[in-house]
């Protein structure tokens, strides 16, 4: 099997809201943080319709203005404090472990790219027993950054030597995942179980699916 065939269809998986079923923890942490900050509580549907990256823009949609640098520091700190209290109780999305194992057994490659802090992401992926399914696991190394995933995707693919972007499909739950894929010349499939509503995902112009199994099936057809 040559290198091109081996890497024929490489998947780059998102973590939060895609492989990790943590939208409940995200909403709980968001509302706990909002309570501290004097902001109104938000429903899951409202969150999915308003959420965007960079995250300060999400707060602008809620507050009517961008938070100041000091406000953002407080907001971000409050969210992550509440989120990590809840994240330990989150499981993988239904069928995720089996899909990852089957793809690895088939000889196809996959990797994980997340905006979660790298030093917290890697132990969590290991605890879920799936770290060995990936060629690479990359999280955010600059905790202060609010950038989206595009620049990280460039570095991620550069580190995956021998994996051409035109044979890559990104599977994620956010519009930013598709933006990052298009930025490097890859394809994307977006999953409705995470941070965005189906309507907001469909505005991106890439395939939108309701399960990870469907995401993998569509990805197989794209490259």
């Amino acid at each position: 099997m040559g290198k091109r065939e081996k890497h024929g269809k490489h998947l780059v998986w998102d973590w939060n809201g895609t492989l990790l079923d943590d939208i409940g923890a995200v909403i709980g942490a968001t509302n706990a943080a909002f309570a501290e900050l004097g902001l109104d509580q938000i429903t899951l549907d409202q969150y999915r319709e308003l959420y965007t990256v960079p995250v300060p823009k999400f707060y602008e949609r809620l507050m009517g203005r961008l938070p100041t640098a000091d406000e953002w520091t407080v907001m971000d700190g409050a969210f992550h404090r509440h989120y990590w209290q809840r994240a330990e109780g989150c499981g993988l999305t239904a069928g995720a472990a089996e899909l990852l194992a089957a793809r690895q057994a088939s000889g196809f490659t996959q990797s994980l790219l997340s905006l979660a802090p790298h030093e917290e992401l890697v132990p969590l992926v290991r605890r879920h027993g799936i770290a060995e399914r990936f060629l690479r696991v990359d999280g955010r190394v600059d905790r202060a950054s609010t950038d989206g995933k595009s620049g990280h995707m460039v570095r991620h693919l550069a580190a995956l030597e021998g994996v051409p972007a035109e044979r890559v499909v990104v599977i994620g739950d956010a519009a930013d995942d598709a933006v990052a894929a298009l930025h490097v010349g890859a394809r994307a499939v977006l999953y409705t179980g995470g941070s965005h509503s189906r309507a907001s995902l469909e505005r991106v112009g890439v395939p939108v699916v309701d399960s990870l199994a469907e995401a993998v099936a569509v990805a197989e057809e794209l490259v």
Side-chain angles (χ1 to χ4, degrees), residues 92-112:
L92 295 178
T93 299
E98 294 80 6
L99 283 168
L100 294 171
R103 273 200 63 82
Q104 185 182 40
S106 75
F108 292 121
T109 57
Q110 53 201 335
S111 57
L112 193 159

Side-chain angles (χ1 to χ4, degrees), residues 26-73:
V26 168
I27 294 299
T30 297
N31 280 325
F34 283 4
E36 288 187 17
L37 301 165
L39 296 174
D40 292 338
Q41 300 289 281
I42 189 171
T43 66
L44 174 58
D45 287 345
Q46 288 171 322
Y47 181 94
R48 283 177 162 160
E49 196 55 40
L50 295 173
Y51 182 75
T52 191
V53 174
V55 179
K57 294 288 289 182
F58 170 56
Y59 284 92
E60 180 182 30
R61 292 178 175 184
L62 294 168
M63 300 169 63
R65 62 175 177 82
L66 274 173
T68 66
D70 287 345
E71 285 174 332
W72 167 247
T73 298

Side-chain angles (χ1 to χ4, degrees), residues 4-222:
R4 183 174 179 82
E5 288 75 27
K6 181 181 178 184
H7 294 302
K9 297 175 183 180
H10 180 88
L11 298 184
V12 176
W13 291 92
D14 173 57
W15 178 241
N16 301 101
T18 304
L19 290 175
L20 185 69
D21 183 15
D22 67 346
I23 190 64
V26 168
I27 294 299
T30 297
N31 280 325
F34 283 4
E36 288 187 17
L37 301 165
L39 296 174
D40 292 338
Q41 300 289 281
I42 189 171
T43 66
L44 174 58
D45 287 345
Q46 288 171 322
Y47 181 94
R48 283 177 162 160
E49 196 55 40
L50 295 173
Y51 182 75
T52 191
V53 174
V55 179
K57 294 288 289 182
F58 170 56
Y59 284 92
E60 180 182 30
R61 292 178 175 184
L62 294 168
M63 300 169 63
R65 62 175 177 82
L66 274 173
T68 66
D70 287 345
E71 285 174 332
W72 167 247
T73 298
V74 173
M75 290 171 169
D76 191 50
F79 170 80
H80 282 99
R81 185 173 69 254
H82 289 289
Y83 173 79
W84 288 108
Q85 290 171 359
R86 294 163 169 79
E88 294 295 330
C90 295
L92 295 178
T93 299
E98 294 80 6
L99 283 168
L100 294 171
R103 273 200 63 82
Q104 185 182 40
S106 75
F108 292 121
T109 57
Q110 53 201 335
S111 57
L112 193 159
L113 178 63
S114 174
L115 294 180
H118 185 77
E119 68 274 17
E120 291 160 358
L121 171 69
V122 172
L124 192 54
V125 173
R126 286 182 181 143
R127 281 201 294 278
H128 283 284
I130 58 172
E132 69 277 8
R133 306 299 181 203
F134 306 109
L135 295 182
R136 289 187 66 85
V137 174
D138 287 325
R140 189 193 291 278
V141 292
D142 179 4
R143 296 183 70 107
S145 171
T146 61
D147 292 344
K149 195 173 273 187
S150 293
H152 301 282
M153 187 68 72
V154 172
R155 292 187 289 275
H156 185 71
L157 289 194
L160 291 170
E161 298 177 3
V163 181
E166 65 269 17
R167 305 297 291 172
V168 169
V169 182
V170 177
I171 298 178
D173 68 311
D176 187 54
D177 292 303
V179 170
L182 296 174
H183 181 71
V184 297
R187 309 295 290 273
V189 179
L190 297 179
Y191 164 61
T192 60
S195 60
H196 283 355
S197 67
R198 171 175 272 279
S200 62
L201 290 178
E202 286 177 340
R203 290 195 285 269
V204 180
V206 303
V208 176
V209 300
D210 297 315
S211 73
L212 296 188
E214 189 181 357
V216 171
V218 171
E220 294 286 354
E221 298 298 321
L222 286 178

